[in-house]
């Protein structure tokens, strides 16, 4: 049977599967893109690539590197998005979650993720999430993630020291207190919107990219941490994070 | 002659004078408030208080402390704003620039400095300016500021070590390179608004609190650094900072 043209996926998102039997997205930078794709109601399919195969795969499809090592060699990481919609013969290929988000907003402006005039502030927010908010969380979540990968992938996953030695921190009360401190600070900032919003989303009433970046961190905790950890985190700050997760819930489909 | 009631200033801003013969505002946290007052076209007067007199002055007028020392003693700093408009017999007294800005927006919402839904993102921006952007700049500007104070005030100005020992850094190329790096990063973030704005202000088209916070840093450099320093800084990033300074120019009146 010939596939109907409408069945042809026009956007492909490259993602790393979790080790569970059902491929499950778990990397926060890829969740960012998936939430945006679903929010914008774009038709796409996921191509799953194990960590050790990423460089070869991306090289073979001609995807751009996401960065350059000090010695000049290219760095290939996911997410990568390939879009055949605009020109099936010369598809757009983009690396890096933020660049993909900006591309999607530009190519598919309906259901905007960057309300007018907010883009600079949203990217300062993303910078804060990555450089400050996520710092103690990474100490906990990177080893947790590493432990759950298949052996072949473990050596390709960026854990400091490469041996998962930081794993004992998983239950460290001091580090969780640091994580809680970052959530508390963020809640104090988001609370400033209480007068003109629903008290849940970053820009007051409508979901925007900043929410997806934040929810992607929550999803990382939810998908990979011990179950009781997520039960606790989601109730911090009067359940604010659970409400955000719930608000984004309809955009968590994995196509 | 009896003063006409309209001559009675209804809002008082407490500020620290520069050592020049004309009292001149120079502290960036106080410029923030002054820019907001002028932008909102509010009638106010400045009461000048030298550093060594701040605590006594604020205690005498019953202003709240801006913080608490580890040993529990209160910290009194400027700016402080006293507003007799709402209730002449029980004036509102507020310490700390951000709290004053939020109060002014709430009490005088005309000519908004926080477009709806932007408050949380703007305060994350302020956090970035204070904790990251300003860090290398403080290394240079605090000693420059200290050197220009009258001797009586110098011991009350918060220079590390209290002796202005960091002064040789004023012309340090390495530190200025760090400052330039922070300006470059901020420019790269603000450039993201190019598609929906004039390429000058943080939120695209209209001035907001974030611009005043940033412009206050520029004013600190302009007012107190060697003249050629400001000439250079304002031209960085294709003159972006000069254009922002110019855009805020009409709100720099010192009443």
């Amino acid at each position: 049977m010939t596939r109907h043209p409408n069945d042809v996926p026009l956007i492909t998102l490259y993602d790393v599967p979790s080790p569970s039997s059902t491929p499950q997205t778990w990397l926060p930078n890829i969740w960012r893109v998936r939430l945006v794709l679903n929010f914008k109601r774009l038709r796409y399919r996921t191509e799953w690539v194990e960590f050790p195969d990423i460089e070869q795969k991306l090289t073979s499809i001609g995807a751009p590197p996401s960065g350059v090592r000090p010695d000049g060699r290219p760095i290939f990481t996911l997410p990568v998005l390939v879009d055949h919609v605009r020109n099936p013969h010369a598809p757009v290929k983009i690396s890096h979650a933020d660049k993909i988000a900006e591309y999607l907003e530009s190519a598919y402006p309906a259901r905007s993720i960057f309300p007018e005039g907010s883009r600079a502030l949203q990217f300062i927010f993303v910078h804060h999430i990555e450089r400050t908010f996520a710092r103690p969380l990474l100490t906990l979540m990177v080893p947790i993630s590493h432990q759950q990968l298949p052996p072949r992938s473990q050596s390709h996953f960026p854990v400091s020291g490469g041996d998962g030695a930081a794993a004992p921190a998983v239950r460290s009360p001091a580090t969780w207190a640091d994580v809680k401190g970052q959530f508390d600070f963020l809640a104090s900032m988001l609370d400033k919107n209480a007068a003109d919003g629903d008290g849940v989303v970053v820009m007051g009433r409508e979901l925007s990219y900043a929410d997806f970046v934040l929810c992607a961190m929550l999803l990382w905790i939810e998908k990979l941490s011990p179950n009781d950890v997520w039960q606790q985190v989601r109730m911090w700050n009067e359940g604010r994070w659970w409400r955000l997760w719930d608000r984004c819930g309809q955009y968590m489909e994995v196509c």
Side-chain angles (χ1 to χ4, degrees), chain A:
Chain A
M1 188 179 99
T2 307
R3 280 169 72 98
H4 189 279
N6 282 344
D7 291 340
V8 178
L10 297 171
I11 296 177
T12 303
L13 173 65
Y14 292 83
D15 195 350
V16 181
S18 82
S20 64
S21 55
T22 308
Q24 174 178 267
T25 198
W26 57 282
L27 278 166
N29 285 357
I30 303 182
W31 261 119
R32 286 187 192 182
V33 175
R34 197 175 291 278
L35 288 163
V36 172
L37 285 165
N38 290 330
F39 179 75
K40 284 184 173 286
R41 296 173 180 154
L42 298 171
R43 200 155 54 87
Y44 70 98
R45 72 175 183 104
T46 304
E47 186 160 332
W48 300 100
V49 190
E50 295 278 1
F51 268 113
D53 306 321
I54 290 175
E55 181 159 346
Q56 185 185 17
K57 179 54 146 184
L58 297 187
T59 307
S60 75
I61 65 170
S66 56
V68 180
R69 289 191 180 82
D71 64 6
R73 284 181 301 148
I75 300 169
F76 289 95
T77 60
L78 296 185
V80 159
L81 181 133
V82 177
D83 182 0
H84 283 82
V85 177
R86 292 302 189 75
N87 184 346
H89 304 295
V92 176
K93 299 165 187 168
I94 313 174
S95 301
H96 196 281
D98 292 343
K99 288 181 185 163
I100 294 172
E102 288 200 273
Y103 165 74
L104 291 173
E105 177 78 352
S106 162
Y108 307 99
R111 297 179 61 79
S112 172
I113 56 171
F114 295 114
E116 188 173 332
S118 74
R119 202 173 290 216
L121 287 178
Q122 288 209 46
F123 278 103
I124 290 281
F125 178 89
V126 173
H127 181 75
H128 172 77
I129 294 295
E130 291 176 347
R131 300 296 177 93
T132 305
F133 173 84
R135 200 169 288 250
L137 195 59
L138 282 167
T139 311
L140 298 166
M141 289 305 300
V142 170
I144 288 175
S145 305
H146 187 265
Q147 287 167 343
Q148 295 180 49
L149 287 174
R152 182 169 166 259
S153 289
Q154 286 195 351
S155 63
H156 287 262
F157 186 77
V159 172
S160 302
D163 58 358
V170 168
R171 292 286 184 181
S172 157
T175 311
W176 277 109
D178 289 345
V179 172
K180 177 73 164 58
Q182 290 296 338
F183 273 94
D184 288 347
F185 173 76
L186 197 60
S188 75
M189 294 286 105
L190 296 173
D191 280 344
K192 291 184 179 289
N193 265 348
D196 52 28
D198 58 14
V200 177
V201 307
V202 175
M203 290 204 68
R205 297 187 199 284
E206 304 300 331
L207 285 165
S208 66
Y209 187 54
D211 297 301
F212 298 139
V213 169
L214 188 48
C215 188
M217 305 303 288
L218 300 178
L219 282 160
W220 194 17
I221 299 171
E222 183 212 351
K223 301 297 180 196
L224 293 199
S225 71
N227 191 49
D228 62 323
V229 169
W230 170 237
Q231 300 298 328
Q232 286 177 47
V233 170
R234 69 181 190 170
M235 296 313 294
W236 284 348
N237 307 112
E238 292 78 47
R240 167 185 277 286
W241 316 115
W242 194 9
R243 292 200 300 277
L244 175 63
W245 182 95
D246 185 61
R247 182 76 179 269
C248 296
Q250 61 186 302
Y251 308 116
M252 292 177 190
E253 194 182 0
V254 178
C255 298

